[in-house]
Amino acid sequence: MILPQSFYLDDTVTVAKSLLGKVLHIKTGNTERRARIVEVEAYLGVTDPACHTFENRRTNRTQSMYLQGGHSYVYLIYGMYHCLNFVTRTEAHPEAVLIRAVQPLDVESHLKKKDIKTNGPGKLCRHYEITRDHDGLRLWKKSSALYVSDDGFKVSAKQIISCPRIGVDYAGEAAQWPLRFYLKENVFVSRV
DNA sequence: AGTGAGATGGCCT
DNA sequence: GGCCATCTCACTA
């Protein structure tokens, strides 16, 4: 079942945790690939020093974060990698969930750890060729190049690990906030 | 295994 | 000019 837009309008931490186990669909040309979300981070908008919209900062890059929840937000980082986010809440609350790692579902391959190409926000976008072209898409529409569904995969609260976010040391105290969530013992998670 | 540098563009002061 | 929600490669040991 495809996730409705209302799914994304909830509290950002709730959405982040709920996204674990959901299925991301990526359409390129005639093919559609699927991947289970296994690692995410919450970015809490205007009051979060680690968030691009901290203090209501509004640039060309962050336009889509000010859309309603359920849109994609893709940005370029370090001049060469892209990061995929799902916007949450409403226009007045520019918050988002960063998709840090997914588990590919199409190929029945027994991947060795060194061969995993989707365990990190930059690597997963490179693997699925997700770029700024995928910014501002409506994730609740099956016609979008990116959309998200629930295939019935169950995740219990005990399987969700919380810890500080990666790569935000500059954000002071906020760097310690437990806003990174991942599935316990999942091999596709970027790091433990 | 662990550390350090480099690639490279947008946004900041 | 400097920093960044990253990753890879080359080096140490």
Side-chain angles (χ1 to χ4, degrees):
Chain A
M1 171 201 84
I2 191 159
L3 296 180
Q5 186 180 19
S6 57
F7 174 91
Y8 303 94
L9 303 181
D10 212 339
D11 162 74
T12 302
V13 168
T14 303
V15 175
K17 291 185 187 175
S18 306
L19 278 170
L20 292 175
K22 298 297 187 288
V23 178
L24 172 65
H25 299 247
I26 310 102
K27 286 191 276 191
T28 44
N30 287 333
T31 65
E32 176 171 326
R33 287 174 285 177
R34 296 171 307 127
R36 194 173 310 285
I37 297 168
V38 300
E39 179 182 346
V40 298
E41 281 176 5
Y43 285 86
L44 303 184
V46 300
T47 59
D48 178 0
C51 188
H52 292 163
T53 57
F54 179 54
E55 292 176 331
N56 248 308
R57 204 168 279 160
R58 197 188 258 272
T59 66
N60 198 47
R61 174 178 72 160
T62 60
Q63 292 268 347
S64 42
M65 278 203 69
Y66 290 84
L67 296 173
Q68 273 253 323
H71 288 85
S72 61
Y73 167 49
V74 182
Y75 69 91
L76 182 68
I77 186 67
Y78 300 112
M80 64 183 75
Y81 294 102
H82 292 273
C83 288
L84 171 66
N85 299 254
F86 298 165
V87 178
T88 57
R89 304 190 69 187
T90 57
E91 289 93 334
H93 301 275
E95 307 187 8
V97 175
L98 168 69
I99 309 303
R100 283 195 55 91
V102 298
Q103 170 172 359
L105 294 177
D106 321 282
V107 196
E108 273 300 320
S109 60
H110 309 283
L111 288 173
K112 294 218 172 22
K113 202 149 198 173
K114 67 175 177 64
D115 294 322
I116 294 176
K117 298 181 169 57
T118 56
N119 57 346
K123 285 165 78 175
L124 94 84
C125 283
R126 188 180 56 190
H127 182 251
Y128 288 111
E129 301 172 282
I130 295 170
T131 67
R132 279 287 283 174
D133 291 344
H134 298 78
D135 182 64
L137 299 177
R138 296 168 298 185
L139 298 166
W140 67 94
K141 296 269 193 188
K142 200 161 185 169
S143 53
S144 299
L146 296 175
Y147 69 93
V148 186
S149 72
D150 184 344
D151 67 346
F153 186 85
K154 294 284 183 245
V155 174
S156 71
K158 287 172 65 175
Q159 296 172 267
I160 299 178
I161 308 288
S162 309
C163 64
R165 294 172 290 184
I166 304 287
V168 295
D169 291 344
Y170 63 90
E173 218 176 90
Q176 297 309 313
W177 296 350
L179 296 177
R180 175 176 177 237
F181 309 101
Y182 62 89
L183 290 182
K184 190 177 183 177
E185 288 167 12
N186 187 291
V187 185
F188 292 80
V189 166
S190 62
R191 52 179 116 164
V192 202

